[in-house]
Amino acid sequence: MSVIYLLISVSIFVAICFFIAFIIAVKSGQYDDDYTPSVRMLFDDETKITPHNNKSTTEEKQL
């Protein structure tokens, strides 16, 4: 039974160490995206313009 307590305490310690390493990596900018903003202007952002004179099926059912 004492082995279980030892394993649980060691696993909690390791989990806390990984969490601290993750927080340090986030604060230092490890996960900042430097590539996407530079190529975002190359993507097409054109939207389709649909004419407003077409009635939808719900509008036709109400009339």
Side-chain angles (χ1 to χ4, degrees), residues 28-41:
S28 69
Q30 181 73 27
Y31 294 107
D32 288 346
D33 187 13
D34 295 333
Y35 178 70
T36 302
S38 64
V39 296
R40 186 174 293 152
M41 62 184 263

Side-chain angles (χ1 to χ4, degrees), residues 3-5 7 9 12 15 19 22 28-29 32 36-39 45-48 50 57-61 63:
V3 174
I4 292 176
Y5 295 135
L7 288 175
S9 61
I12 289 174
F19 182 70
F22 174 73
S28 69
D32 288 346
T36 302
S38 64
V39 296
D45 288 339
E46 295 179 12
T47 58
K48 291 183 179 179
T50 58
T57 57
T58 57
E59 291 176 349
E60 291 174 0
K61 289 180 182 178
L63 294 177

Side-chain angles (χ1 to χ4, degrees), residues 11-25 31:
S11 65
I12 289 174
F13 176 73
V14 169
I16 290 172
C17 289
F18 277 115
F19 182 70
I20 290 171
F22 174 73
I23 296 297
I24 291 171
Y31 294 107

